[in-house]
Amino acid sequence: MDRRTFVKNSFVAASGALLANRGFTTKSPLSQKNVPGAVAPSEIDSARFPDGFLWGLASASYQIEGAWNTDGKGESNWDRFSHTVGKIKGGATGDVSCDHYHHYKEDIAILKRLNQKSYRFSTSWARIQPTGTGLINQKGIDFYSRLIDAVLEAGIRPFCTIYHWDLPQALEDRGGWPNRDLAGYFADFAGILAKHFGDRITTWAPFNMPWTFTYYGYGIGMFPPGKANFDHFLKAAHTVNLAQGEAFRAIKAASAKATVGSAYGMAPAYPKTDSEADRAAAARYHAMNNVYFLNTAMHGQYPKAFVGEPPYESMGFKPGDEKIMKVPLDWLGFHYYTRRIISDAQSGSLSSMTGHFGTETEGEGGSASRDPLTQIHVEMPAEGPLTEAGLEIWPPGMYDLVMQISREFNDPIIEISENGCCYLDAPDETGHVPDTRRIVFHRQHLAELARAIADGAKVRAYHAWTLVDNFEWTDGYTQRYGLTHVDFRNQKRTIKDSGLWYGRVSVSNRLNV
Ligand code: FCB
């Protein structure tokens, strides 16, 4: 797999965790036809989830809403990016997508039909503040207000992710996330949401996968605004850390019943060898890719992501920032898609390595160089089977990651904010979508989650990605993660077999249904 394909396939995982010698699953139950990483049928049969477990589905504003310039919405960075020739596969845009803006009632009816208990959605900042600051677009408020009411009427908990990657273009034009002023603007936006919806929403996550949009947007240029400079990434990430802290306080100030958590992207990182150097590299990867925004919140400090001291100057760190960043998150939400194998990039023959240097930056014309600060080499293994997006399926990674975060952060309340897989199954002649592979995927990951719960992890929710097939970022409409199929020619929704199965899981708290 070449580097670009690797990077593309990586952003859903986007991270790693140090697992060597500490709860690392050395023995995976391989009985399902000896597929590496597969869970034994007996474990699936016996898996149980606690009463009140929150079964959910997740989505994101830009990926589903469409209506990109309707009812006063401002332009976002993803509007601009997708309208730029050559950025998205097939020239696709989110202009219409699943037109959820007009079909939201139908989509919530699907949630209800599938017995969902939690719906994780995100808000489009430019729909509410068209230029990112000041003026509020009442029609944007009205849309989310109607949506939230409908979710509550269906008996489902609304979980609001405030920012799932779509920034008002006006703020990108002011320098985007490397501009520290965005921390304050974001907190204002979060406060507006909490003021208008805090009577009905109690579950808030400021950012979806902050490492991904800062690194892909400013470090390697694969996401908007398409910049490729490691220092810009460091600055963007620091602003986001400040924004997370400021938003936490703004939400709590506006809504007494608010709880604030997260929706980080995480992947367990397994050292390539047992050498001290590789284990240290895996620890740096975990720090950089998994907990760079979590450690700052819980401890007010950057984790040890760099070979030397954190590059405070390049980050734009100011005295007192540690206090701004530090906020005791009420619960921790993270996604799991796939794992990583990590080795130390300081030693060995790099030229013979395939894969991806974790903090590689890409210059104009595809020339690549590595930052000297993290020195990690990242591989995506292919020992287990691959999804149709090319991601390795590794269910034990769910157990390992949940247990690791539980240990490191003092047994927090955990929500799995995303887990899912890309398969392209479409309706057959009988109108069914027999996506058995997706059922197997979720069943196996859930069995590993049940094992973590049985071993003491305080997991209260699981959100499958995703409610309906949608715009998959730079891959456009070439990837389908939905538990509901969408025919983008006519907006017809068809619940896939995986969706029907998940609906049964949600009432029975068991997997063999
Ligand atoms: C996650 C993103 C989500 C979607 C899935 C496949 O990383 O949060 O928007 O792209 O991957």
Side-chain angles (χ1 to χ4, degrees):
M1 185 181 303
D2 67 21
R3 184 193 152 268
R4 252 199 114 74
T5 314
F6 179 87
V7 172
K8 229 177 214 159
N9 286 347
S10 296
F11 76 81
V12 292
S15 45
L18 177 65
L19 291 156
N21 304 332
R22 290 193 297 136
F24 184 179
T25 307
T26 47
K27 203 169 51 118
S28 331
L30 303 178
S31 58
Q32 202 187 2
K33 293 191 203 135
N34 285 332
V35 175
V39 176
S42 59
E43 292 204 24
I44 289 167
D45 284 346
S46 61
R48 295 287 180 277
F49 286 81
D51 284 347
F53 189 77
L54 294 166
W55 298 99
L57 281 156
S59 71
S61 50
Y62 187 72
Q63 291 181 275
I64 64 169
E65 284 178 5
W68 79 281
N69 59 359
T70 303
D71 287 345
K73 176 181 165 295
E75 185 191 20
S76 79
N77 59 342
W78 274 94
D79 293 324
R80 176 71 61 93
F81 198 67
S82 70
H83 294 161
T84 307
V85 174
K87 297 295 186 191
I88 313 287
K89 242 185 218 171
T93 72
D95 290 3
V96 178
S97 187
C98 334
D99 198 19
H100 173 77
Y101 189 77
H102 297 108
H103 288 255
Y104 74 94
K105 285 190 184 150
E106 194 180 338
D107 292 338
I108 291 165
I110 293 173
L111 289 167
K112 187 170 180 190
R113 173 153 175 224
L114 300 184
N115 308 308
Q116 294 302 285
K117 318 282 186 244
S118 175
Y119 176 46
R120 174 174 169 249
F121 67 99
S122 80
T123 45
S124 157
W125 188 344
R127 208 178 278 294
I128 290 182
Q129 287 186 293
T131 57
T133 58
L135 200 71
I136 296 175
N137 176 32
Q138 188 56 40
K139 290 194 167 156
I141 296 282
D142 293 345
F143 168 66
Y144 290 110
S145 195
R146 288 194 301 272
L147 174 77
I148 293 160
D149 284 345
V151 169
L152 286 168
E153 269 160 36
I156 297 166
R157 176 192 73 161
F159 168 155
C160 179
T161 306
I162 296 175
Y163 183 89
H164 197 132
W165 303 356
D166 43 347
L167 182 71
Q169 180 61 37
L171 292 183
E172 201 74 85
D173 293 342
R174 290 162 78 167
W177 287 106
N179 174 358
R180 195 182 158 97
D181 293 345
L182 262 71
Y185 302 148
F186 180 74
D188 291 345
F189 172 52
I192 290 168
L193 293 180
K195 177 172 161 242
H196 286 86
F197 310 131
D199 55 335
R200 287 162 287 166
I201 294 185
T202 57
T203 310
W204 301 88
F207 291 105
N208 177 73
M209 298 181 81
W211 183 86
T212 304
F213 74 82
T214 50
Y215 183 63
Y216 281 70
Y218 302 94
I220 59 169
M222 272 188 53
F223 279 4
K227 297 207 171 122
N229 178 304
F230 194 67
D231 280 5
H232 287 174
F233 155 67
L234 289 172
K235 282 201 175 56
H238 187 54
T239 305
V240 168
N241 265 313
L242 298 170
Q244 176 176 247
E246 298 279 25
F248 177 99
R249 284 180 281 271
I251 295 165
K252 297 259 177 175
S255 166
K257 44 185 189 177
T259 69
V260 182
S262 61
Y264 302 129
M266 294 196 188
Y270 301 82
K272 183 159 188 159
T273 72
D274 205 30
S275 73
E276 208 174 300
D278 283 354
R279 287 195 286 126
R284 291 197 296 280
Y285 186 67
H286 176 56
M288 167 54 76
N289 296 68
N290 284 355
V291 299
Y292 200 71
F293 301 84
L294 175 53
N295 222 69
T296 44
M298 300 312 246
H299 305 305
Q301 284 177 358
Y302 277 97
K304 294 191 186 331
F306 307 98
V307 170
E309 278 299 296
Y312 290 117
E313 210 172 305
S314 308
M315 292 172 171
F317 195 101
K318 294 190 182 164
D321 283 357
E322 63 283 358
K323 293 202 186 70
I324 299 175
M325 301 189 301
K326 190 171 177 186
V327 280
L329 297 177
D330 298 301
W331 47 273
L332 302 187
F334 52 87
H335 320 340
Y336 172 61
Y337 283 90
T338 190
R339 64 172 174 156
R340 292 287 180 262
I341 304 290
I342 309 300
S343 48
D344 181 26
Q346 297 171 95
S347 52
S349 167
L350 299 183
S351 56
S352 67
M353 289 177 168
T354 56
H356 167 53
F357 295 95
T359 51
E360 186 176 22
T361 57
E362 187 175 46
E364 298 287 318
S367 63
S369 60
R370 264 183 308 121
D371 84 278
L373 304 175
T374 54
Q375 299 289 339
I376 48 182
H377 177 257
V378 185
E379 284 170 84
M380 188 162 62
E383 195 190 335
L386 306 184
T387 67
E388 284 182 343
L391 294 183
E392 189 204 28
I393 303 170
W394 198 255
M398 174 70 91
Y399 176 87
D400 291 340
L401 181 61
V402 167
M403 297 311 281
Q404 180 178 14
I405 294 297
S406 297
R407 277 193 304 275
E408 288 181 358
F409 292 90
N410 201 17
D411 280 326
I413 294 168
I414 290 174
E415 300 215 3
I416 301 301
S417 35
E418 286 179 26
N419 173 233
C421 50
C422 165
Y423 290 112
L424 297 173
D425 307 277
D428 62 17
E429 50 302 334
T430 66
H432 283 274
V433 185
D435 59 335
T436 316
R437 293 172 297 178
R438 182 172 284 103
I439 296 176
V440 171
F441 179 98
H442 284 285
R443 189 141 60 189
Q444 300 223 342
H445 285 79
L446 282 164
E448 286 295 278
L449 189 61
R451 186 157 72 92
I453 294 171
D455 285 352
K458 295 192 190 133
V459 184
R460 73 173 179 203
Y462 172 88
H463 298 85
W465 181 267
T466 179
L467 169 59
V468 282
D469 289 337
N470 57 45
F471 176 85
E472 182 49 37
W473 309 113
T474 49
D475 285 307
Y477 297 98
T478 65
Q479 297 196 354
R480 290 178 180 266
Y481 280 84
L483 275 69
T484 300
H485 180 273
V486 176
D487 184 335
F488 293 104
R489 294 167 304 185
N490 56 17
Q491 297 300 343
K492 183 170 179 343
R493 273 88 164 133
T494 307
I495 299 176
K496 301 180 188 178
D497 284 359
S498 59
L500 298 170
W501 167 80
Y502 193 53
R504 295 192 294 276
V505 169
S506 309
V507 282
S508 63
N509 291 338
R510 331 159 36 131
L511 303 175
N512 231 347
V513 289

